[in-house]
Amino acid sequence: MDFIISYFSSLNPASFVSALPGNIAQGIIWGLMALGVFITYKLLHFADLTVDGSFATGGAVTGILLLNGVPIWIAMIVALIAGLLTGLITGLLHTLLGIPDILAGILTQIALYSINLNIMGKANLPVSYRNYDLLISGSNILWAIIIGLTFAFIVIAAMYWYFGTEQGSTIRSTGSNPAMSKAQGINISTAKVIALSLSNGLVALSGALLAQYQGFADINMGRGAIVIGLAAVIIGQVLGEALFRKHINFVIRLVFVIVGGILYYIAMGIVLWLKMPTDDTKLFTAVIVAIFLAVPYLKHKKSTSFKKVAKQNLKSANEEGTKNA
């Protein structure tokens, strides 16, 4: 009992509050990455593991270009293009060579580890605001949040527009029903390649932002990115559907992906504030994702249970009997 009292008395709420803006800023950046995961996971129903590599590619390209005197805007555009190419490779491995989606992503991810090392020349590159004119930096959290939200607004608006076009609709159709889409004359291979390219381009862009925010590009900065992206997507989906129910639309889903990223990093902030072992961070992440993945299934199972169906049928029969009487 004394240990529990001592443990909770050692927790300082002020330290959690002071760390909260930083958690929000990181959550927005990772939320942008999760929007890329949303394209493949929710729209295309493609299990793409390329993102662990393409996220680091965005940081690596940004870091090496800054080191060589390239302006930050150009560096970020090149990082975006590099991400597009990584998605293109995964798409071609899957569509042209017939490699299953998971294996295609893993192959590209493994290759990117060596490619990223060759780009940077070493495992870590400093990207300090003291040496470079950066767009975003962890030294100014408020500005980082503003820039992050600005990027989020632009990306969400662009995605809302694009996936309402004919080409964007073919991607959504391909993900929903590939066989029917193919029967309607849609080239589903092209749709998959485009979606994977756009997804990883967005992931690389967020990697470029994170490298600036944390002050360095690292070969392992994308490790576990797919899990964090899935966490943001699932948390946002569950929360959005709980709040809006049947009124949730595409743009609200996109917004709640960003919200999911923020909530995930706040949850991680709470875990660290509670002085949980940092070595167990990945374990906590897996638990959080598992819980939110299970919620939609359990909710659907509950709504379609025999007991509930029987109750609804009995209610309908009683109402019909009352009406006839």
Side-chain angles (χ1 to χ4, degrees):
M1 187 66 179
D2 292 338
F3 171 76
I4 296 175
I5 295 174
S6 175
Y7 167 72
F8 281 103
S9 63
S10 67
L11 299 177
N12 184 7
S15 63
F16 171 71
V17 174
S18 63
L20 194 58
N23 294 331
I24 294 173
Q26 289 190 71
I28 295 171
I29 294 172
W30 283 95
L32 287 168
M33 187 278 297
L35 286 173
V37 175
F38 179 87
I39 294 174
T40 52
Y41 177 68
K42 297 299 292 183
L43 299 185
L44 197 61
H45 299 288
F46 189 105
D48 182 28
L49 300 182
T50 312
V51 297
D52 281 24
S54 59
F55 189 81
T57 300
V61 170
T62 302
I64 196 65
L65 289 179
L66 286 173
L67 187 65
N68 286 277
V70 177
I72 185 59
W73 280 106
I74 297 178
M76 291 184 65
I77 292 173
V78 176
L80 172 64
I81 295 172
L84 292 171
L85 292 175
T86 64
L88 176 65
I89 293 170
T90 300
L92 293 178
L93 287 175
H94 175 63
T95 58
L96 289 185
L97 302 183
I99 299 175
D101 51 5
I102 294 178
L103 291 179
I106 291 174
L107 288 174
T108 308
Q109 177 196 131
I110 292 172
L112 284 174
Y113 187 88
S114 296
I115 293 172
N116 293 337
L117 273 176
N118 284 308
I119 290 173
M120 294 191 294
K122 52 184 178 180
N124 187 286
L125 276 181
V127 185
S128 174
Y129 70 94
R130 296 184 180 90
N131 301 325
Y132 307 106
D133 186 16
L134 303 180
L135 182 64
I136 188 173
S137 171
S139 63
N140 190 336
I141 303 297
L142 179 60
W143 180 247
I145 292 174
I146 293 172
I147 292 297
L149 289 175
T150 302
F151 268 89
F153 175 80
I154 294 172
V155 170
I156 289 173
M159 288 179 66
Y160 181 70
W161 167 79
Y162 175 74
F163 286 105
T165 64
E166 182 178 351
Q167 189 179 82
S169 297
T170 62
I171 294 174
R172 298 172 70 174
S173 175
T174 299
S176 299
N177 194 328
M180 181 61 71
S181 299
K182 190 173 183 179
Q184 295 294 323
I186 295 174
N187 189 327
I188 61 173
S189 295
T190 300
K192 288 180 179 180
V193 171
I194 293 173
L196 286 164
S197 298
L198 291 175
S199 170
N200 285 281
L202 188 51
V203 169
L205 180 64
S206 62
L209 287 172
L210 184 65
Q212 296 174 65
Y213 177 82
Q214 64 187 11
F216 62 91
D218 186 81
I219 189 63
N220 292 315
M221 64 184 288
R223 180 173 293 178
I226 182 63
V227 178
I228 298 175
L230 285 174
V233 171
I234 299 302
I235 292 171
Q237 174 186 330
V238 171
L239 184 60
E241 290 180 351
L243 293 176
F244 290 90
R245 299 184 183 276
K246 296 180 180 180
H247 300 290
I248 190 170
N249 57 28
F250 187 67
V251 71
I252 293 176
R253 292 184 187 277
L254 296 179
V255 170
F256 269 88
V257 171
I258 301 294
V259 173
I262 295 172
L263 292 178
Y264 169 80
Y265 260 89
I266 291 176
M268 287 296 101
I270 293 173
V271 168
L272 295 176
W273 175 65
L274 292 174
K275 300 181 181 179
M276 298 294 182
T278 54
D279 292 340
D280 295 337
T281 303
K282 298 298 182 184
L283 173 61
F284 296 131
T285 299
V287 171
I288 291 172
V289 175
I291 291 172
F292 278 93
L293 277 171
V295 168
Y297 170 77
L298 295 175
K299 186 178 178 181
H300 176 72
K301 186 177 180 181
K302 183 179 178 181
S303 65
T304 57
S305 65
F306 287 112
K307 187 176 180 180
K308 184 166 184 177
V309 171
K311 187 183 290 186
Q312 290 175 344
N313 290 338
L314 180 61
K315 183 179 178 181
S316 299
N318 291 335
E319 289 177 352
E320 187 68 24
T322 304
K323 186 178 179 180
N324 292 334

